[in-house]
Amino acid sequence: MPEYTQWQQVALAIIPKFSGALSLFGSSWIIMEVLRDAKKMTMVYHRLLLAMSIGDVVLSFTLFLGSWPIPYETENVFMAFGNTATCSAQGFFLQLGIISQFYNAYLAVYYVLVIKYNKKERHLQKMEKFVHWITWLFSVATAIAGLVLNQYNSANLWCWIAPFPEDCDNVDMECTRGNKASFYRFAFFYAWVIPVLVVVMVCMCIVMYSVHQQQKRLKRYAGSSFNNLKQVAIQAMWYIVSFFLTTAFNSTTRIIQATTGKTHFPIILLMVIFFPLQGWWNFLIYLRPRYAAYRKKNPEWSFASAIRQSFRRGLFLCCRKNFTDEENEEEENDDDYLLGTIPQAVEKVDISSRRVNSSRRWSLWATDEIAVETVNKENVV
């Protein structure tokens, strides 16, 4: 175990509680917004966000607990108040939180299917059920397997797959718990998260290229339809960036640890700051289109006013029936700016594309007719 100073131990124990609380708030907000809106519950995009946010709630709360469930008097750990049972419980839910990583990949693939291949909602729904079944079965199965195999022990920052006593798998010592922890850590997590990172990166490139091609082809004709598609692509990029920002320092730490056997406090500090924040980033990105719509419709509004209005729907859930019909319609239209209308935005661009092709064919036909008429006149003369 790395020897941290007292203030370093305090920082590593306290910081995840703030970032975890922010993420818990953001994910819970998204869950409330989706569940309360029957229209959103019919859309694949929002159901994926709902499932991802449920996974983020599990992960955020587990990381919020931080070092509390670690067995009492564990060396070099600040605020360790737990026992073996609490440590195992935290490790179980931390492993279960892998579902949020998978749903980030599914969301990236969703954007590719819609933007690149123009898949309709009915096609996406057929694939969606397999996504949920596979993700939850794998996450629950690996979480239970880790519990049965006694793999959940103190990992310094929180409880997860780790050997006990510490480093027993690297020295000539018998492990009382967490035997072959390095193997199970890779098999249950990193063997799947690394491909997820690759998939997300590839999807990001495909989306950027597809939008660029559409822009070259339709910029003069598509107008607002293409602008909507461009905003959809920007929304996709933000989700992908947030995923990389969340996992970058965690992955870097594990790579350095696997190759050199050492850890570096600055990277560990960045990991405990950013790793629990996935739900918070998703929340900000989820509200971004609404904020942009309000600023576009009301350019005279200040930044604070637009933010306040963006929060309004969630803050007044219980009072929604007291809104006027005009306010309700305005709120729904602002929400439809991007949230859940992605296939429709792409379909508008596709229609514009067909119109452009039709116009070009008409132009070529008209040119040919004029040329034929000119030749006929010359022959008459």
Side-chain angles (χ1 to χ4, degrees):
M1 184 191 322
E3 293 292 335
Y4 296 127
T5 64
Q6 183 64 31
W7 75 267
Q8 288 176 335
Q9 294 179 35
V10 172
L12 295 178
I14 296 297
I15 289 176
K17 303 191 183 309
F18 290 98
S19 52
L22 285 174
S23 185
L24 189 61
F25 168 80
S27 298
S28 300
W29 182 296
I30 294 175
I31 291 172
M32 279 196 309
E33 285 228 351
V34 175
L35 288 178
R36 72 183 175 85
D37 194 322
K39 181 180 177 181
K40 289 180 179 178
M41 284 299 295
T42 64
M43 300 174 182
V44 174
Y45 169 73
H46 285 287
R47 290 198 296 268
L48 289 176
L49 277 180
L50 174 63
M52 183 169 66
S53 297
I54 292 173
D56 284 331
V57 164
V58 174
L59 186 62
S60 300
F61 180 72
T62 305
L63 296 176
F64 167 80
L65 295 177
S67 59
W68 285 344
I70 295 178
Y72 181 66
E73 294 185 347
T74 299
E75 294 182 0
N76 209 20
V77 177
F78 183 70
M79 291 198 308
F81 300 135
N83 51 42
T84 301
T86 59
C87 191
S88 297
Q90 186 185 37
F92 173 86
F93 287 107
L94 191 57
Q95 177 61 30
L96 187 63
I98 193 177
I99 57 178
S100 61
Q101 313 291 324
F102 283 120
Y103 278 110
N104 274 280
Y106 297 144
L107 193 62
V109 173
Y110 169 87
Y111 277 108
V112 170
L113 292 175
V114 172
I115 294 175
K116 170 68 175 175
Y117 298 104
N118 196 20
K119 292 292 184 181
K120 302 299 186 289
E121 192 78 6
R122 63 181 182 275
H123 299 135
L124 297 170
Q125 289 174 354
K126 294 178 181 179
M127 295 180 281
E128 180 193 7
K129 58 183 178 181
F130 296 105
V131 164
H132 295 305
W133 275 106
I134 294 172
T135 302
W136 283 94
L137 283 175
F138 175 82
S139 301
V140 172
T142 54
I144 293 175
L147 198 62
V148 172
L149 295 170
N150 294 323
Q151 290 295 320
Y152 302 133
N153 303 290
S154 171
N156 303 331
L157 302 175
W158 36 67
C159 292
W160 190 46
I161 301 174
F164 183 82
E166 187 183 2
D167 293 331
C168 63
D169 56 348
N170 297 325
V171 297
D172 189 15
M173 182 190 304
E174 182 180 356
C175 294
T176 57
R177 292 176 57 87
N179 190 34
K180 299 181 179 180
S182 298
F183 167 78
Y184 287 111
R185 184 179 292 175
F186 179 80
F188 288 178
F189 188 76
Y190 291 105
W192 306 96
V193 170
I194 293 174
V196 164
L197 289 169
V198 174
V199 168
V200 170
M201 187 179 301
V202 171
C203 289
M204 179 174 64
C205 295
I206 293 175
V207 168
M208 293 175 63
Y209 179 77
S210 299
V211 173
H212 177 68
Q213 291 298 104
Q214 291 276 23
Q215 184 178 24
K216 286 172 58 179
R217 200 155 49 92
L218 303 173
K219 188 174 182 180
R220 293 176 54 191
Y221 304 93
S224 61
S225 297
F226 176 76
N227 290 334
N228 287 342
L229 177 61
K230 187 175 181 180
Q231 290 301 317
V232 169
I234 292 174
Q235 186 79 349
M237 292 302 102
W238 276 117
Y239 278 118
I240 292 170
V241 168
S242 73
F243 176 63
F244 277 104
L245 188 62
T246 302
T247 58
F249 301 108
N250 185 25
S251 300
T252 301
T253 298
R254 296 307 177 189
I255 291 172
I256 294 175
Q257 191 176 40
T259 54
T260 66
K262 300 178 180 179
T263 57
H264 303 283
F265 178 75
I267 300 179
I268 294 290
L269 184 63
L270 290 172
M271 183 181 76
V272 299
I273 293 173
F274 287 98
F275 183 49
L277 281 175
Q278 178 73 66
W280 177 249
W281 300 135
N282 290 342
F283 165 68
L284 295 180
I285 297 166
Y286 182 80
L287 291 186
R288 187 193 72 85
R290 190 179 303 169
Y291 165 81
Y294 288 144
R295 289 301 298 268
K296 182 179 179 181
K297 184 180 297 184
N298 306 279
E300 73 280 2
W301 283 10
S302 66
F303 172 80
S305 297
I307 289 292
R308 184 169 59 252
Q309 187 68 11
S310 299
F311 277 74
R312 183 169 177 262
R313 289 192 70 183
L315 289 176
F316 294 99
L317 287 176
C318 62
C319 305
R320 187 177 182 187
K321 292 183 179 179
N322 296 331
F323 290 172
T324 66
D325 293 339
E326 182 179 352
E327 287 177 319
N328 275 327
E329 183 178 357
E330 179 183 352
E331 293 286 347
E332 289 176 4
N333 289 337
D334 287 336
D335 239 11
D336 287 344
Y337 178 67
L338 272 185
L339 305 179
T341 59
I342 296 173
Q344 292 89 327
V346 176
E347 187 173 0
K348 288 180 181 179
V349 174
D350 186 54
I351 292 172
S352 298
S353 177
R354 292 197 294 270
R355 287 175 178 171
V356 169
N357 292 333
S358 177
S359 298
R360 287 175 177 172
R361 287 194 297 269
W362 173 263
S363 177
L364 290 173
W365 177 83
T367 302
D368 291 340
E369 287 294 310
I370 293 171
V372 170
E373 185 176 353
T374 301
V375 171
N376 290 337
K377 286 182 179 180
E378 290 177 353
N379 291 334
V380 170
V381 173

